[in-house]
Every structure is written in structure tokens, then in C-alpha cells.
């Protein structure tokens, strides 16, 4: 046996920094030594890596299919519906038409220039997959590609995470990280089948960019830097989160400069990346000239200039004396100051846009609530709770600081990067739930490093012992690994075996019992993690949200398909040009499924338009009617969950509508009017009269007062808010009910035309028991019938 | 059926003229115009197109005592035993019209049939037919006389003034005619009270606007019947046409007393105004005054109402002529005069005394008044009764401000109400600043007009007082928004202007020569480059003339040519496709070439 | 003082630098001058077709950066930091980056 050789061989192909190797690889290589000799070690090693990654991909893919299996192959949520619609348009009309697409069905009457306001990476990706498959004569519908795109890319994410972690630490840690990222709920939440959204491919782009960046910092090669820029370009085309990259990488460079770690490699990597990345990012129409106009991108430019200054100084230093350097140092400081002044001046003059509101809200969590209610209204933009940290990351959240500590302890150029990545991502994830997504990969990586380091410590002695284990064990190991199932389970299986073997060897530094205990504990943790991930995925993240499932007492499952029912009704029963008003959440779905014109949708770029809709929803019927006629509304759609107890309905979102409306029309709408005197928001008879007469309230509860859910509760009992509604028997003057779905989830109202309006007004007139009277109405005394005479 | 509506209308018109107690005379009579019109309706019936209308036309003309010009003969009407009462009626009536006798056997049979029919159905219509037939049967029709009371019980009474039968004019007329005909042929007084006759007459007169020939005939025949019956002839008491208005200039109340057909009633000797009460307070104003008969018209009586100097207003006069009584409504007018009027401006916060100018009634203020947003426009005026010289109030007192140029699209017209105080002085204050929204912030010259009107005034007038120059503040932003919505409101349903997409105007490009100059300048350094390279001494001799090297350089050149073509015409995707081919070749060649060079160098280094 | 320093630098430069490096330096100088001319154009005339100006200007910056990187790799004094790569590898990378750069420039120039 040549254990030392084995070790170095196993580590060699991939490693530059780390000398540690995760035990499976080592174990296998050790076995290989025994059976096949040294030449095959590297090959088998990569076979193992390949197998683990493949299994990680498959398991990640499989666990994202809950939604498809439970429901059907359908696009989920809200934004994906727009992405799907845009993709379908692109596939049908070609890319250039797509870029010039003016969508008059959205944001009526404004319309939306889709090509210029969208990140086209997602559509391009699925479009090109569609193109390739069709040129290979595989007729797959574009919808299926869209549905399964995110799971497929999660596999790619796992692979890129592996490579990144390998660059940072070791390939063993990389495998851990790949397995973690494949099943971690924080990432699954955005990449289940059917969740066809930018984030699905953006995380892959993020990871691969970071990998290439680390690689190019290491090698200092123009090629890698160019590739980094190319993958950054892909990221820019896919997600607005690219700003994270373009700030994190300069931060990394800056930190290295501060740590006096300047090198020619760093210079090459950064300058090439920056200048190409800058140019590439401006190719995306939506980004346009922002990279040289907005403050968010200025840090990168500043670091670029700094790089040149330092590079020049270092070069000059090669043939100059100290005194001369001092002279030049003065010049440099002067130039820096001039640059700064010019930048500030440009910002002041308006050539460079100051930080946008969304970015302020990252620094000051209270900012959005005060200034931009529309941003605060999105649930994804809320600050993260501890619960959701744990829910999404489970044990990783507790183990990743260990990995961070390892990295800080053994610091080098690229580990500085991961440390910065971790710290900034943790901060941002704490500010916004949505940014949990950027935290997840780094947590996986660092947790992978932590587990790798831990197990290495505790299994170190095992290697020697193990090399003498019998072949039968190996065979079963191999089988285990190849058998379908979780990559983690495979590992666990392997680990368990090794643990059995442990007693044979006596620990050098650590007692065998301690070692056993720790290993078992770690394995238990990993098991629990796996179980948790599966549970969370199946329960929390696999509902398409346009099809709801409810469970009866017997455990039977009922599908509530109200959304699609309503949208289908709209598409079949309304005029093709009909304009549907709804809260913006449902804009994309109406456009995608019902193919009708909407006023506002999930692309919340025009705050005042949304505020107008919010004002219509929160004012009384006649005021709303004026707004609605001025906006040419034909139908109004509201989501009402009081019948089945669905909490994400419009009444629960109502306060946001009021707030957004108040932001634009403070003289008409006041939030305080919608609370009771004690400052509560309630819908029962104690609710404020403004609320009871608002359009949203009326549309939600129209005719609900007649409904009796069961014999114990009163009529009109709202199950979502557990209250009996306060305004029961009212009539609608300007609107009439057009359609209500089976479970009352979606209610569609038609805006009365003038004719019907008059009719309705008359109806209401009589129904109020105020009869008209005619002046001088004749009083008639009826004549009597004579008694029949018997005789003639 | 229109008749209910017609009654309503009539009730509306007449309702106010009628007191709560039931009058014993009718309100109107058949004028000549009515007769002319009715004839026109009947005329087409003589064209023999339809038996029923011919029948009605004949009947109608007979009643109007107009000569019947029959073309052709009426032989088609045959003696025939119809099975229904209506058919029986038509047969009998036709035979009667042709002066044919009905044989006794048929009469007996008829009587039995009719009695049977009545037992089955004693609706007013059936009864009416029976009465008619019975009237034609002479004494054998006496069986029907007892049924008259049955019939009258079935009459509907409307407003206590009209009696009618279910089925409207035709049924009522048929029945009334039948009743009177029967009673005439039997020489017995029909069991109808005078009041019933008056009510029936009222009803018929209310239907004088009928349009169908049948209706006209029915109407005429029944009016005739009622006007000429031997038992009680209803009298009409009403105001003479256009006699409603009484004033100092025309002090007489003219009353027309006549029968239903407009003929004088000889039995009436004197017409008395029993009471006259003012509308509103029911104070008896005049009692027991005789009307004087007019010399030229026997039906007209008059009374000088102004002798008792009534207050202007509406009066009800209860008139009795013989046994008939009725109430008429007249209105007494007066004239108004403006006793004083002052106009001027004052500070809105009333810190200073108002500056007022007096204007006499028909005149106009000579100088223009000016008012800005800190001031208010003030008008004070007192109205007086021209005859009594007492201050009075009028129903309508308005101040109208309008832009002088009414053809202008933005012309404004705003009308304010002037309110009187306890001393009957009218006051009008307009805060210019507060009203600026109503004027849509349009400063400029406005015409001031005073409008006085009342139903009891004979001289309502509109008086242009003068001109005012109003100066409004600039509208605030919210006001503008309000204004725009206010302006928008009427246009909500009209077509909106088409939205046209505005493309951004391209910025101005620099002149061509500047661009060309700089293009040249940009190219220039390449000579510098060549010069420098030449000076340093580029080593071209080292160029390896292998296939890979040539391919590489050609490929590289091809790629840059491709880029040029891409710039000029290709799109991204085709470019990428070509690039992938070219790139692969170039890559392979370049790889080989560079490794060759590296090997050479290593070799040379080793050497 | 400054004259003295600059002339000293110039002499040092001539002394130290290899010929190969000087070829690249000449190229860099050429790119630099082109960039400066474009900058003068933008300052004096205006930037109107902004994308065209940017693509031109950035392409000069990029060429300068790439040339600089090539120079760094070619320079013997930096050989330690790029021990695994020869000048040929550096040149291949340079060509690759130039191709990628120019396709984007052409796309951007409009």
C-alpha cells in the first residue's frame, strides 16, 4: 500500500489550493489501488465524481417534479405566465420580432414594449432548446420545455457549484455542495417544474460566472476572463440580479487590493472581465446604457480605474527610485480626487442616475414602506424571518459559518471572494425574502466545505484501515451508488459501512467512540436534512398556485381549479378586445390564460397606473365607475377566498391597494379611513364605513350575505377572516355579476353599459321602496257585479 | 289601451280646476272644430270596404245630422239569425236602418235567445247589445228595461267625476245609447240620476280626442244622446276661451254656460258666483255675485272681478247656473317695477364700505365695473307692485353673468339666485375668488343681467345692468385636475382621440465634414503604428509558411470580413452560424500553428 | 524635475524593454491615440448616436486592455506569475477575446 501516493494522486487533477479530499473518492481510489493499480485511479476518481453529479442532477430533477405529478404539466404562479407567453411569442414570430414586440394587451391604454423591458435570456434559452430539439425532429411543445427548464437547469447549477467549490476548496467539498444545492429548499422554491422564471436559470449563470471568475483570478488568463464576461452576459440577459455580480467582483478585487494582494493575474482577469462585461451587458435592450449611467454600476468602473493606477504605479516602480515614486504618488492622488469630483458632479447634474429605490430599500429596510409601497407590497420583498432561514436551509444555516471559518483561516485570493460572497449574501437575504436565493448557493458551498472538513478530520484514520477492507464491501458500495435514489443516501450508505469498520482500527488522536458518535451524529443530521428537504419540497413549494388542493377530513384530495375556470370563461365569453381590470397580481395570468387586455400586471413599472387601479378598487362604487369608464374597463375581476378560506385573496391584499393609491392620490384616499377607530382592519359590522362601501369590498362580498356555509355559522360568514361580514344586502349599481367560479374564488363583474346602467338605476329605485307617484292619479271605484237574478 | 293615459292627462289638466265637491255641470262641450275633425275620421267608412266601419260611418253622420252620400246600395245586409248577441245586434240594427220590419215570430224567438244569453253573460257589452235590440223591438223589448239598473251598477267611477264601463268608450257609448234608446222607445224614464248623467257626459267629453271612426261615431252618438235626452240635459259651466287671466286692464271674468253641444241653455236665467277664494289660504273673497249676460253671445256671462281689488294670485270661483254648479280657476296678474337698484363692488373680507352705484330700471350702467379675486360683486334691489306701490317678492329673481362673446367656444354663463331679506330687499353677493372655479378661471368682461319672473306678473323682464371685468386667480394644480375631469365628464361616452405613438426625435447630427474629419483622424494613427513597427523592426521573416499558418490567417481575415458583412446586412443568428464554421477551422489551424511555434522555440532554446 | 523624471523613464524603458514588447507597446500607443481622438470628438461635437460612440470608444479601451494583458504575459519579468502558459497561449487567448469583442462591437455599433 502506498497511502501517500494515493492521496496526492487523488487530489492532483483538480486541486491547486486544497490538499484535502473527501473520503469517498479517497476510499475508492484506495480500493482501486488494490484492484486495478495506479493508472486507473484518476479515471475512476472522475467516474465517481461523474456518478455523484449525475445522481445529484437526477435527484434534484426528480424532487422538483412533485408539482407535475400531483397536478399536471402547467406553468405556475404569476410571472412565469408572462415568461411563457413571451416565449411562445418569440418561438412563433422569431427573435427580432420579439425584441420589437409592442404588447398592446398589457397596461391598457399604455401598452408595453416587451422587447425593451424584459430580460430575454430565459426566452432565448428555452427558444434555442426548442429550436435544437425541433431540428433533431423531436417535436416537443414549447410549454413542456418551459415547465421542465428550471429542473434541468438546477442540475447544471449543481455541476457549476461543484466546480466552484472545487476551485475554492476540494472536490470532495464540491460534491457535498453539489448534493446540497440539488435538494436545498431555498433553491427548489424557485425552480420546481413549472416555475418558469428568470431565477431558474439565473442561479446557474451566477454560479458559473463565479466559477469562471475564480478560475480566471487563479490563472490570470485572458481566455478565462473572456469566458467570465460571456457568462456574465448570459446572467445579465437572464436576471436583474446581475448587479450583485458586478458589485461583488469589484468588491473582491478591492478587498484584494486592500490586502495588498495585487498581482498581474488579478489585473488581467479584472480589466478584461470588466471592459468586456460592460460592453456585453449593454447589448441587452432592457439594460441599455445603465452600466455607465447609474450609480449601481459605478463601483466597478472605479475599481477598474484604480486597477490601472496601481498597475501603472507598480510598473513604474520597476525602474524608479522612491523619491520619484513619491512625486508620482502625488499625481495619482490628484487624479483620483479629480475623478471623484467629476463623478459626483455628473451624478448631481443628472448624467449618472443616483441609486434606484429598490436599492435604497436594500440598505434601509424601512425605506420602501415609506416611499415605495408598491415594492413593499410584494411579499417577496419582506424582510426574512428566522423561521424561513431555517425552513429553506435547515442544517446548512448552522453549518455554513464553520465553512466560512475554514475559509478565513486558510485564506487565499479566491477564498476572499467566497467570504465576501457569503457575508453580503447573508445581509441581503436578511433584508428581502427573495434574495434568499442568492444566499442559498454560497451556504451550500460553505456547508459542503464544513462537512468535508469535519468528516475528513474524523475519518482520517479510516483511510489506512479501510484500504484493507474486503472486496465484497466495495461491490455493494458500487451497487448502492448506481442504484437510483438520492446521492445523499448513497453517501450515507457508504458512510454507515465505514462506521462499521471503524472499531477495527484504533484512533490515533481521537477515541473511536468519540469518532463514532460524531460520525453518527453528522449522518443523522444529513438524514434529517434530506427528509426535511423532501418534506418541504412536497408540501410548501410544489403547488402551482393557480390550481389549489384542499384536503378533506378523510384525507381525500380535492382540486380547486377556480382560477383556470374563470380565465377560461373570460376567454370564451368575452369580446376579444375586452379590457379586464384586476389587481396587478393577476395581470400576467389573465393575459396568458384568458388572452385578454389587462390594465396593470406583474411588471410593476408604472406606479401611477397601478395607483389608479388601486384607487378604483378602494373608492366607492360611483367614484370607481368614473375611473373605470375613463380607463375603458369592461370587466372587473376579483379574487375572493372567504368561501373556502383561501388567505391570499384581494381583501387581504386590500390595504396595499389603499396604500399605493394613497401614495398617488393623497387627497382622495386615506389609509386611516379603512381602519376602525381602534385601528383595526376588520370586515365585520364594526368595520369602517369607507371600507364597507369600497368597490373591492362590495365586489368581494356581493351576494355573500345570502350564503350560509353550515348550520352553526351565520349567513355571510367569511372563513378566511373568521368574521361575519358587515355589509350584507347591498345592490350594485354600476356593475353586474358576470361570473363566479365554483368555489367563489374568482368573481368577474361586467361594467354596465349605459342602457343597463339606467335599468339598474331604476331597479334600485324601486327596490328602495321609494315609489314615484303621479300627480292627480285617478281614483277608480269599480262597479259591482249585479246579483244573478233567478227569474228573467 | 290609451284611454287610461288619456284620462290621466285630462285629470292633470282639469284636476286643478275642480274643487273637491262634485260639480253638477260639465266642463266642456263639443266645438265646431271637433265636429270637423270627427267627420274626417268617419269619411273613409263610406268606401264599402268593411261593413262595421260603414255602419259606424252612417251612424256617426246621422248623429251629426250630416247628409249621407251613399254610393251604391246596402243590400248586402241580410236578415239573418246570428248566434251571438253582437251578430243579432248588427242584423237588427241594419234592418232598422233600412227601415225593415221584423216579423213577430222572429221577435219572440229573439227575446228568448237574448234572455238566455243574458243569463249566461251579463257583461256591459252584452247588456248594451240587448238594450239596442230591445229598443228596436218596440214594446216587446220591455224585458230589457229591468236590466238597466244592473248595467249601471257595473259602471266604474273614476275620481268621483267620470262614469265608465269596462271596455272603454265603445262599450260605454253603446250602453248609454242603448239605455236612452230603450227608455225612449218604451217612453219610460231611465233609472239614471242626474249626477250619473253628468258623470257619463264628463267621461264622454274626456274622450273627445278619439281617433278611430268607430270611436268618433260612438262618441258623437253618445254626446248627442246625452245632450238631447228628454230626462236631464247636462249643463256646461266653464271659463270662456282665454279667459283665465284677469288684470287691471282686463278686469272681467267671462263664464260660458251652455249644453254639451255648445248651444245656449234657455232655461238658465242668471249665473251667480257663489264664492271666490284665493288659492293657498282659502279665504272667501267674494260671495253671491251675479254675472251679467253678454249682449252678443247668449252663452257668455261676465263679472268685473277687479272691483273688489284682489291681491294678485290664483282664485277659485264657484259658479252656479240653474241647478248646475262648477268651479273655475282664474289668475289675477299684476305688474312689477324696480323701485331701486344699486350695484358695485366691495372687499371680500368686508373691511371697507361697498361702493355702490344706483341704476334706474331700463337703463344701463355706463362705466364698467371691475372686480378681482379679493372683491365681491354686490347688487341690492327692491321690487314693488306697480299698482299698489308696495314692496313685493317674486318667484324668480336671478342674476346672470355671461361672457360677452357668446360665439366663443369657451363662453361662460353662470346664473346666481338673488335672495330677499325680511324687508323684501333683494341682495346679491358674489365672492369673486370663491366662485373662480365655476367660471373656469376665465378672467374677462362679463355681462350682468337681472332676470325677474313670476306666474302672476304680466311684465316679467330681463334687464342688462352693465358690464363687469372679472379677474380670477391662476388655477391651482388640483383645480386644474378637477377641471379636466369636470370637462371630461360629458365626454365619457364619446370616442376618445386616437393615441399616436411618439417616436423620439433623433438628436441633431454634426455636419458631415466634421464626421469625416474625425473618421480620418481615427484612421490616421494606423500609419503611426506602421511607422513605429517599421522603426522597431518587425520580424516578418519568421513567418512560417505552413498550411496551418495560412489557413489560420485566412480564417482570421474571413472572420473579420464576416463581421463587416454582419454589420452591413446579416443578422445575429446567421452570423453566428457562419462564425462557428469559420471559427472551428481557424481554431484548429491556429492551435496547430502556435504549438508548432512553441515547439520550434523550445527546440531553439534547447539548442 | 518633471522633465528630468520623464526622460529618465524613457531611457530606462528603452534599456529594459524587449523588441517584442515594444511592438505591442507601439500597438498600445496607436490604440491610445485613437481613443483620445474619439474622446475629443465626443467632447467637442457630442455623443449623439450614443451606442456608436460607445462601441467605438469601448472597443479602443478593450483593445488597449487586451493588448496590455498580452504585453504582461509576453513580458519576461512577469513570467513567474504565468508559469503555466507560454506566450503562444497568451496570443491565442488574445485572438479569441478579440473575435468575441468585435462581434459584439459590430452588433452594438448599429
Amino acid at each position: 500500500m502506498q497511502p501517500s501516493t494515493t492521496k496526492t494522486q487523488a487530489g492532483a487533477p483538480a486541486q491547486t489550493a486544497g490538499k484535502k479530499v473527501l473520503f469517498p473518492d479517497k476510499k475508492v481510489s484506495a480500493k482501486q489501488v488494490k484492484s486495478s493499480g495506479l493508472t486507473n485511479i484518476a479515471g475512476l476518481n472522475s467516474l465517481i465524481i461523474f456518478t455523484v453529479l449525475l445522481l445529484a442532477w437526477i435527484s434534484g430533477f426528480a424532487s422538483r417534479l412533485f408539482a407535475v405529478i400531483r397536478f399536471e404539466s402547467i406553468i405556475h404562479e404569476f410571472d412565469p405566465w408572462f415568461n411563457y407567453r413571451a416565449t411562445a411569442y418569440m418561438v412563433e414570430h422569431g427573435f427580432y420580432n420579439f425584441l420589437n414586440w409592442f404588447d398592446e394587451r398589457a397596461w391598457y391604454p399604455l401598452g408595453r414594449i416587451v422587447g425593451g423591458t424584459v430580460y430575454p435570456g430565459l426566452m432565448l434559452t428555452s427558444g434555442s432548446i426548442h429550436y435544437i430539439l425541433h431540428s433533431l425532429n423531436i417535436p416537443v411543445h414549447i410549454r413542456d420545455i418551459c415547465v421542465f427548464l428550471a429542473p434541468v437547469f438546477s442540475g447544471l447549477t449543481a455541476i457549476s457549484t461543484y466546480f466552484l467549490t472545487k476551485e475554492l476548496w476540494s472536490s470532495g467539498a464540491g460534491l457535498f455542495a453539489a448534493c446540497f444545492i440539488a435538494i436545498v429548499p431555498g433553491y427548489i422554491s424557485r425552480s420546481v417544474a413549472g416555475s418558469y422564471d428568470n431565477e431558474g436559470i439565473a442561479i446557474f449563470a451566477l454560479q458559473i460566472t463565479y466559477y469562471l471568475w475564480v478560475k480566471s483570478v487563479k490563472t490570470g488568463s485572458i481566455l478565462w476572463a473572456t469566458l467570465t464576461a460571456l457568462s456574465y452576459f448570459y446572467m445579465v440577459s437572464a436576471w436583474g440580479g446581475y448587479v450583485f455580480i458586478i458589485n461583488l467582483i469589484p468588491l473582491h478585487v478591492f478587498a484584494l487590493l486592500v490586502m495588498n494582494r495585487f498581482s498581474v493575474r488579478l489585473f488581467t482577469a479584472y480589466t478584461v472581465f470588466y471592459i468586456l462585461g460592460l460592453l456585453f451587458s449593454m447589448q441587452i435592450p432592457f439594460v441599455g446604457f445603465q452600466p455607465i449611467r447609474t450609480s449601481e454600476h459605478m463601483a466597478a468602473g472605479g475599481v477598474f480605474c484604480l486597477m490601472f493606477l496601481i498597475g501603472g504605479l507598480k510598473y513604474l516602480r520597476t525602474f524608479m527610485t522612491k523619491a520619484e515614486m513619491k512625486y508620482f504618488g502625488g499625481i495619482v492622488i490628484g487624479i483620483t480626487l479629480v475623478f471623484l469630483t467629476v463623478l459626483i458632479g455628473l451624478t448631481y447634474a443628472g448624467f449618472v442616475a443616483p441609486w434606484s429605490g429598490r436599492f435604497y430599500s436594500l440598505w434601509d429596510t424601512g425605506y420602501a414602506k415609506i416611499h415605495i409601497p408598491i415594492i413593499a407590497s410584494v411579499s417577496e420583498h419582506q424582510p426574512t424571518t428566522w423561521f424561513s432561514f431555517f425552513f429553506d436551509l435547515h442544517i446548512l444555516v448552522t453549518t455554513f459559518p464553520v465553512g466560512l471559518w475554514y475559509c478565513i483561516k486558510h485564506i487565499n485570493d479566491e477564498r476572499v471572494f467566497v467570504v465576501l460572497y457569503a457575508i453580503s449574501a447573508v445581509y441581503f437575504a436578511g433584508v428581502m425574502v427573495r434574495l434568499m436565493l442568492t444566499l442559498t448557493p454560497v451556504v451550500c458551498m460553505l456547508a459542503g466545505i464544513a462537512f468535508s472538513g469535519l468528516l475528513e478530520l474524523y475519518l482520517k484514520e479510516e483511510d489506512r484501515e479501510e484500504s484493507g477492507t474486503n472486496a465484497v464491501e466495495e461491490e455493494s458500495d458500487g451497487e448502492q451508488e448506481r442504484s437510483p435514489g438520492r446521492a445523499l443516501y448513497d453517501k450515507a450508505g457508504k458512510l454507515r459501512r465505514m462506521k462499521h469498520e471503524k472499531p477495527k482500527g484504533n484512533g490515533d488522536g481521537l477515541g473511536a467512540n468519540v469518532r463514532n458518535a460524531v460520525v453518527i451524529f453528522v449522518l443523522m443530521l444529513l438524514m434529517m436534512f434530506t427528509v426535511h428537504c423532501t418534506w418541504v419540497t412536497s408540501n410548501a413549494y410544489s403547488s402551482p398556485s393557480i390550481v389549489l388542493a384542499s384536503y378533506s377530513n378523510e384525507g381525500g384530495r380535492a382540486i380547486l381549479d377556480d382560477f383556470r375556470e374563470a380565465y377560461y370563461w373570460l376567454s370564451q365569453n368575452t369580446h376579444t378586445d375586452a379590457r379586464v381590470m384586476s389587481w396587478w397580481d393577476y395581470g400576467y395570468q389573465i393575459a396568458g390564460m384568458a388572452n385578454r387586455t389587462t390594465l396593470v400586471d406583474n411588471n410593476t413599472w408604472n406606479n401611477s397606473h397601478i395607483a389608479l387601479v388601486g384607487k378604483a378598487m378602494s373608492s366607492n362604487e360611483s367614484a370607481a365607475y368614473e375611473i373605470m369608464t375613463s380607463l375603458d374597463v369592461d370587466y372587473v375581476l376579483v379574487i375572493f377566498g372567504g368561501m373556502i378560506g383561501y388567505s391570499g385573496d384581494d381583501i387581504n391584499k386590500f390595504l396595499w391597494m389603499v396604500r399605493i393609491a394613497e401614495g398617488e392620490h393623497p387627497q382622495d384616499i386615506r389609509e386611516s379611513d379603512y381602519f376602525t377607530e381602534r385601528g383595526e382592519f376588520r370586515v365585520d359590522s364594526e368595520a369602517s364605513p369607507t371600507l364597507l362601501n369600497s368597490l373591492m369590498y362590495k365586489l368581494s362580498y356581493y351576494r355573500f350575505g345570502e350564503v350560509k356555509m353550515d348550520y352553526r355559522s351565520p349567513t355571510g360568514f367569511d372563513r378566511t377572516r373568521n368574521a361575519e361580514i358587515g355589509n350584507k344586502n347591498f345592490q350594485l349599481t354600476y356593475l353586474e355579476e358576470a361570473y363566479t367560479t365554483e368555489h367563489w374564488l374568482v368573481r368577474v363583474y361586467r361594467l354596465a353599459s349605459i342602457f343597463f346602467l339606467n335599468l339598474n338605476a331604476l331597479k334600485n329605485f324601486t327596490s328602495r321602496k321609494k315609489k314615484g307617484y303621479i300627480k292627480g292619479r285617478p281614483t277608480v271605484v269599480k262597479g259591482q257585479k249585479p246579483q244573478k237574478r233567478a227569474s228573467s | 289601451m290609451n284611454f287610461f293615459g288619456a284620462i290621466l292627462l285630462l285629470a292633470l289638466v282639469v284636476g286643478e280646476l275642480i274643487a273637491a265637491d262634485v260639480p253638477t255641470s260639465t266642463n266642456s262641450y263639443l266645438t265646431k272644430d271637433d265636429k270637423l275633425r270627427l267627420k274626417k275620421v268617419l269619411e273613409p267608412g263610406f268606401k264599402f270596404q268593411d261593413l262595421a266601419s260603414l255602419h259606424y260611418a252612417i251612424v256617426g253622420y246621422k248623429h251629426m245630422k250630416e247628409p249621407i252620400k251613399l254610393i251604391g246600395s246596402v243590400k248586402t245586409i241580410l236578415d239573418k239569425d246570428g248566434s251571438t248577441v253582437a251578430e243579432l245586434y248588427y242584423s237588427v240594427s241594419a234592418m232598422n236602418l233600412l227601415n225593415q220590419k221584423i216579423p213577430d215570430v222572429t221577435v219572440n224567438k229573439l227575446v228568448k235567445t237574448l234572455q238566455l244569453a243574458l243569463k249566461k253573460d251579463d257583461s256591459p257589452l252584452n247588456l248594451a247589445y240587448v238594450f239596442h235590440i230591445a229598443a228596436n223591438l218596440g214594446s216587446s223589448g220591455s224585458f230589457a228595461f229591468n236590466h238597466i239598473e244592473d248595467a249601471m251598477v257595473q259602471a266604474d267611477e273614476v275620481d268621483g267625476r267620470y262614469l265608465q264601463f269596462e271596455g272603454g268608450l265603445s262599450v260605454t257609448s253603446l250602453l248609454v245609447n242603448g239605455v236612452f234608446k230603450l227608455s225612449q222607445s218604451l217612453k219610460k224614464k231611465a233609472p239614471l240620476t242626474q249626477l250619473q248623467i253628468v258623470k257619463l257626459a264628463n267621461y264622454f267629453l274626456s274622450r273627445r280626442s278619439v281617433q278611430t271612426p268607430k270611436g268618433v261615431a260612438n262618441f258623437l252618438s253618445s254626446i248627442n244622446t246625452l245632450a238631447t235626452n228628454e230626462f236631464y240635459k247636462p249643463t256646461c259651466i266653464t271659463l270662456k276661451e282665454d279667459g283665465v287671466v284677469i288684470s287691471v286692464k282686463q278686469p272681467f271674468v267671462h263664464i260660458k254656460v251652455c249644453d254639451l253641444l255648445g248651444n245656449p241653455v234657455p232655461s238658465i236665467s242668471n249665473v251667480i258666483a257663489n264664492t271666490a277664494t284665493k288659492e293657498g289660504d282659502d279665504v272667501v273673497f267674494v260671495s253671491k255675485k251675479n254675472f251679467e249676460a253678454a249682449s252678443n253671445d247668449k252663452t257668455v256671462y261676465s263679472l268685473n272681478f277687479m272691483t273688489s281689488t284682489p291681491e294678485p294670485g290664483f282664485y277659485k270661483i264657484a259658479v252656479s247656473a240653474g241647478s248646475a254648479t262648477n268651479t273655475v280657476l282664474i289668475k289675477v296678474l299684476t305688474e312689477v317695477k324696480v323701485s331701486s337698484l344699486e350695484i358695485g363692488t366691495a372687499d371680500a373680507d368686508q373691511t371697507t364700505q361697498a361702493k355702490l352705484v344706483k341704476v334706474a330700471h331700463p337703463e344701463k350702467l355706463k362705466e364698467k365695473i371691475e372686480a378681482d379675486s379679493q372683491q365681491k360683486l354686490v347688487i341690492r334691489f327692491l321690487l314693488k307692485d306697480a299698482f299698489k306701490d308696495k314692496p313685493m317678492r317674486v318667484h324668480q329673481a336671478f342674476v346672470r353673468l355671461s361672457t360677452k362673446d357668446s360665439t366663443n367656444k369657451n363662453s361662460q354663463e353662470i346664473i346666481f339666485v338673488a335672495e330677499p331679506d325680511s324687508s323684501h330687499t333683494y341682495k346679491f353677493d358674489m365672492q369673486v375668488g370663491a366662485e373662480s372655479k365655476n367660471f373656469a378661471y376665465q378672467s374677462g368682461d362679463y355681462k350682468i343681467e337681472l332676470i325677474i319672473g313670476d306666474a302672476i306678473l304680466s311684465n316679467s323682464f330681463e334687464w342688462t345692468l352693465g358690464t363687469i371685468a372679472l379677474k380670477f386667480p391662476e388655477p391651482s394644480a388640483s383645480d386644474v385636475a378637477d377641471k379636466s375631469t369636470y370637462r371630461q365628464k360629458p365626454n365619457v361616452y364619446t370616442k376618445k382621440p386616437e393615441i399616436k405613438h411618439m417616436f423620439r426625435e433623433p438628436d441633431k447630427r454634426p455636419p458631415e465634414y466634421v464626421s469625416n474629419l474625425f473618421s480620418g483622424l481615427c484612421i490616421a494613427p494606423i500609419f503611426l503604428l506602421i511607422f513605429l513597427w517599421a522603426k522597431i523592426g518587425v520580424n516578418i521573416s519568421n513567418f512560417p509558411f505552413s498550411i496551418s499558418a495560412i489557413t489560420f490567417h485566412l480564417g482570421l481575415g474571413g472572420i473579420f470580413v464576416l463581421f463587416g458583412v454582419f454589420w452591413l446586412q446579416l443578422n445575429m443568428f446567421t452570423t453566428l452560424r457562419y462564425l462557428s464554421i469559420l471559427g472551428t477551422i481557424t481554431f484548429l489551424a491556429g492551435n496547430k500553428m502556435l504549438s508548432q511555434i512553441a515547439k520550434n522555440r523550445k527546440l531553439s532554446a534547447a539548442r | 524635475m518633471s522633465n528630468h523624471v520623464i526622460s529618465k523613464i524613457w531611457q530606462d524603458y528603452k534599456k529594459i524593454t524587449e523588441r517584442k514588447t515594444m511592438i505591442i507597446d507601439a500597438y498600445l500607443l496607436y490604440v491610445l491615440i485613437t481613443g483620445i481622438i474619439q474622446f475629443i470628438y465626443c467632447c467637442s461635437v457630442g455623443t449623439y448616436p450614443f451606442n456608436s460612440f460607445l462601441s467605438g470608444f469601448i472597443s479602443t479601451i478593450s483593445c488597449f486592455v487586451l493588448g496590455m494583458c498580452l504585453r504582461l504575459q509576453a513580458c519576461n519579468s512577469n513570467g513567474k506569475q504565468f508559469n503555466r502558459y507560454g506566450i503562444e497561449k497568451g496570443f491565442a487567448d488574445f485572438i479569441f477575446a478579440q473575435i468575441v469583442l468585435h462581434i459584439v462591437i459590430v452588433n452594438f455599433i448599429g
Side-chain angles (χ1 to χ4, degrees), chain B residues 12-26:
Chain B
L12 267 174
V13 174
V14 188
E16 294 192 14
L17 301 176
I18 303 304
D21 56 333
V22 183
T24 50
S25 83
T26 60

Side-chain angles (χ1 to χ4, degrees), chain A residues 174-359:
Chain A
L175 288 181
F176 257 120
C179 296
F180 285 147
I181 194 90
I183 55 165
V184 70
Y187 179 41
I188 284 187
S189 68
R190 291 323 186 97
S191 61
V192 290
S195 170
Y196 178 56
D197 212 344
N198 291 334
E199 289 95 329
I201 63 169
I203 293 302
F204 161 68
L206 187 80
Q207 289 295 89
I208 196 82
T209 311
Y210 286 155
Y211 162 66
L212 291 169
W213 166 247
V214 167
K215 193 84 187 165
S216 60
V217 168
K218 270 184 158 177
T219 62
S221 139
I222 301 176
L223 176 73
W224 286 112
T226 314
L227 289 178
T228 313
L230 279 175
S231 90
Y232 170 66
F233 172 59
Y234 184 60
M235 175 71 184
V236 174
S237 76
W239 196 35
Y242 76 89
V243 181
F244 184 47
I245 296 182
I246 201 60
N247 281 304
L248 184 60
I249 287 179
L251 184 65
H252 176 216
V253 174
F254 188 71
L256 288 178
L257 292 182
V258 169
M259 291 161 79
N260 199 16
R261 281 169 175 271
F262 175 83
S263 67
V264 184
R265 284 175 287 132
L266 186 66
F267 179 84
T268 311
Y270 183 69
T271 49
V272 172
F273 161 74
Y274 173 73
I275 196 71
L276 290 184
L278 175 73
L279 184 65
F280 292 171
S281 61
M282 285 193 285
Q283 306 304 306
I284 305 299
F286 188 28
V287 178
F289 299 128
Q290 275 181 39
I292 53 165
R293 283 262 168 87
T294 56
S295 301
E296 287 108 24
H297 302 79
M298 280 300 141
V303 171
F304 180 72
C305 296
L306 194 66
M307 210 69 192
F308 262 92
L309 279 176
I310 293 179
L313 282 179
K314 293 246 170 183
Y315 177 67
L316 287 177
R317 197 186 274 171
T318 52
F319 43 79
M320 267 199 281
T321 60
K322 257 193 177 165
E324 287 160 352
M325 280 314 290
K326 262 182 196 161
Y327 169 71
F328 266 93
I331 295 176
V332 166
I333 289 169
I335 291 173
T336 318
L337 283 178
V338 167
F339 263 113
L340 268 178
T341 344
V342 167
L343 184 66
I344 291 168
L346 282 177
T347 313
Y348 221 70
F351 288 110
V352 177
W355 298 81
S356 68
R358 280 176 210 245
F359 277 85

